[in-house]
Amino acid sequence: MRNAPTILHLDMDAFYASAEQASKPSLRGKAVVVGGLGPRGVVATASYEARVFGVRSAMPMAQARRLAPNAAYLVPRFGFYRAISEQVMALLHALSPLVEPLSLDEAFVDLEAGETAWDAASARLVGEKLRADIRAVTGLTGSVGLAASKMLAKIASEEAKPDGLVLIEPGTERAMLGPMSVRTLPGVGPATGDHLRRAGITTVDDLAEAGEDELVRLLGKAHGHALHAMALAHDERPVVAEREAKSVSVEDTYDVDIHDRLRVGLEVQRLADRCVRRLRAAGLSGRTIVLKVRRYDFSTLTRSETLRGPTDDPAVVRESAARLLDSVDTTGGVRLLGVGVSGLADYTQEDLFAQAAGEGAAEQVAEEGDQEPVEERQVVVERRWPAGHDVRHAEFGHGWVQGSGLGRVTVRFETPGSEPGRVRTFRVDDPDLEPAEPLPLVEGAAGVSAEGVGA
């Protein structure tokens, strides 16, 4: 471990929910839950107002609705969140060449490598300025932890939440960690925590006193050794610069199992197109096409096909995904579908044979008149109004979807810089209503794209 608190950990505060509140004036200060809204959905993020009711990330959405029935429940806008994340990551990269993202809203930064901090005083100044810059650029808040190791910096940022900064002075780590719960340490989840509790180990001090041999006996060699080192505040892991994505994928979970084979095929084609958009946005191509199918009985099947060379051609990916689907029995119903591309490269070397097959299939569809109803059904499938997503009306301007059903869609018309707006209801097929791109959260900032780069 180093002698100065020059490792910074940033964790944005209730990121998805905070972004939605900043985007929608009528939701500010109110309980907001972001996640899958169907009966099988789970909570991605809950605002601090929703957490008061006990709503937490990874909780089943049905349970969240019972705890906070009056909260606003929104479908995630991952492209929007990615665009904000890119703004935040740019601020981090300005501090150091060593930035290690853990997710869209969380990252480690080695300030020493960037020569931006060398002691506690300079590290604190950098942390405070970073928090101010994030607020100025995105309108959101983040919590900062500063310490001499990654483990301690992450613990410090958690202690700083929400919208704070905690710096752990070198030499004080053991005293600070001692009374904390064993669950504070990374790698100690509910199962491990319960196992340790049954052995009479509940605090970090208890871990240290138990000794390495006892922890190895309880948890195995690798986990026991690592946990004993963490209990002594030993963590030599370096900050590792961002690695290239290994795959790009998209998936959808359906509220009601899909039994119609034609509908399943259309959904796979739509997912293939979404996956290719993410590939191209990242400037990538890939060799291996992957299809994921979760069936009615929760069994999950994965099929893959490796092409002769990397591609970002939508026809090639659609054709490959369709071939993979042919090998899967979906007669009992499908609850989840996913399409991914792996074996990524930063250039495109088209598989000419697969491309030709895709083009041939496209020509065949164009020539056969009985395929026209398929195209019509695809349009119906894609015309959805997810709660929380942006729309624009020819007369009323920009707004967001509050909800839809029974052939109607309810929209609240407001923007990040406006007062809370009025609510109006339209037919789902109203020609004056169309999906829209998210607006910037901070006036004068660059717009953000609704379709971002995924991995």
Side-chain angles (χ1 to χ4, degrees):
M1 281 174 47
R2 55 190 69 185
N3 297 319
T6 52
I7 293 182
L8 180 149
H9 181 259
L10 170 73
D11 195 356
M12 299 294 288
D13 298 323
F15 181 47
Y16 300 167
S18 294
E20 297 296 349
Q21 289 175 318
S23 178
K24 302 170 172 63
S26 59
L27 297 185
R28 291 170 191 168
K30 297 182 180 179
V32 174
V33 180
V34 180
L37 301 191
R40 298 170 185 143
V42 297
V43 175
T45 305
S47 69
Y48 287 100
E49 295 86 352
R51 295 181 191 187
V52 171
F53 298 99
V55 180
R56 296 289 184 269
S57 298
M59 174 182 288
M61 190 61 74
Q63 182 181 356
R65 288 186 183 275
R66 289 194 296 270
L67 293 172
N70 296 320
Y73 289 87
L74 308 176
V75 175
R77 297 185 292 166
F78 289 115
F80 178 52
Y81 310 144
R82 279 190 205 97
I84 299 172
S85 174
E86 288 170 3
Q87 294 176 311
V88 173
M89 295 300 166
L91 293 174
L92 299 184
H93 281 286
L95 297 177
S96 173
L98 290 183
V99 176
E100 182 179 344
L102 303 180
S103 61
L104 291 180
D105 61 337
E106 186 180 1
F108 289 110
V109 184
D110 189 333
L111 300 179
E112 187 176 287
E115 300 182 350
T116 49
W118 50 91
D119 59 13
S122 58
R124 185 179 294 276
L125 287 174
V126 169
E128 293 291 6
K129 184 177 186 302
L130 173 64
R131 292 176 57 234
D133 289 344
I134 289 172
R135 186 186 290 272
V137 171
T138 69
L140 305 179
T141 64
S143 296
V144 168
L146 292 156
S149 71
K150 290 168 68 172
M151 178 189 76
L152 292 165
K154 185 173 174 62
I155 290 173
S157 70
E158 188 64 31
E159 292 293 303
K161 284 187 168 293
D163 191 20
L165 181 149
V166 168
L167 183 148
I168 300 176
E169 292 276 3
T172 67
E173 297 95 344
R174 288 287 303 277
M176 182 209 70
L177 280 177
M180 290 185 170
S181 166
V182 293
R183 292 289 304 278
T184 303
L185 299 180
V188 182
T192 301
D194 287 345
H195 191 48
L196 291 171
R197 179 180 53 79
R198 288 193 293 270
I201 299 172
T202 59
T203 69
V204 177
D205 268 342
D206 293 337
L207 279 174
E209 292 171 4
E212 184 174 354
D213 290 343
E214 177 65 8
L215 293 179
V216 167
R217 187 186 68 81
L218 288 170
L219 304 173
K221 186 174 181 180
H223 200 183
H225 175 76
L227 205 54
H228 184 254
M230 287 189 287
L232 299 178
H234 295 164
D235 180 18
E236 302 293 341
R237 295 173 300 157
V239 176
V240 181
E242 183 175 6
R243 297 183 178 92
E244 292 184 0
K246 294 181 180 180
S247 66
V248 173
S249 62
V250 296
E251 63 181 41
D252 278 344
T253 300
Y254 304 98
D255 295 346
V256 178
D257 291 351
I258 302 176
H259 294 270
D260 183 352
R261 181 74 178 189
L262 180 59
R263 167 79 187 282
V264 172
L266 291 174
E267 288 292 316
V268 168
Q269 300 297 291
R270 182 177 62 82
L271 289 166
D273 287 341
R274 278 175 53 196
C275 186
V276 168
R277 285 200 295 270
R278 290 191 177 183
L279 269 180
R280 290 184 169 181
L284 297 170
S285 59
R287 290 176 55 106
T288 302
I289 315 302
V290 181
L291 175 71
K292 177 179 177 182
V293 179
R294 181 166 297 147
R295 298 189 294 187
Y296 69 99
D297 58 357
F298 287 95
S299 62
T300 301
L301 304 178
T302 303
R303 300 287 184 268
S304 64
E305 174 181 277
T306 298
L307 308 176
R308 298 188 181 187
T311 183
D312 68 349
D313 187 295
V316 173
V317 177
R318 285 197 301 267
E319 179 75 12
S320 177
R323 284 195 297 271
L324 295 171
L325 180 61
D326 287 340
S327 67
V328 178
D329 180 10
T330 63
T331 53
V334 170
R335 61 179 58 214
L336 178 146
L337 290 168
V339 173
V341 177
S342 60
L344 301 182
D346 58 1
Y347 61 93
T348 300
Q349 180 182 335
E350 304 261 348
D351 180 341
L352 299 179
F353 293 94
Q355 183 179 12
E359 290 173 348
E363 292 172 357
Q364 183 180 9
V365 169
E367 291 172 357
E368 296 180 5
D370 60 357
Q371 294 297 316
E372 291 182 5
V374 175
E375 182 65 27
E376 291 175 0
R377 288 188 63 173
Q378 186 170 11
V379 171
V380 172
V381 167
E382 293 188 1
R383 190 166 177 79
R384 294 185 286 187
W385 302 105
H389 283 223
D390 295 81
V391 294
R392 177 169 293 280
H393 190 272
E395 179 180 354
F396 302 108
H398 192 93
W400 59 276
V401 176
Q402 281 202 224
S404 63
L406 301 177
R408 294 286 186 267
V409 54
T410 300
V411 177
R412 184 180 289 274
F413 290 97
E414 59 187 6
T415 65
S418 74
E419 296 295 319
R422 296 188 61 183
V423 175
R424 296 180 183 274
T425 299
F426 308 91
R427 299 193 320 274
V428 293
D429 59 351
D430 190 318
D432 289 336
L433 189 67
E434 60 183 7
E437 295 293 317
L439 298 177
L441 299 181
V442 176
E443 188 174 355
V448 294
S449 171
E451 190 67 43
V453 179

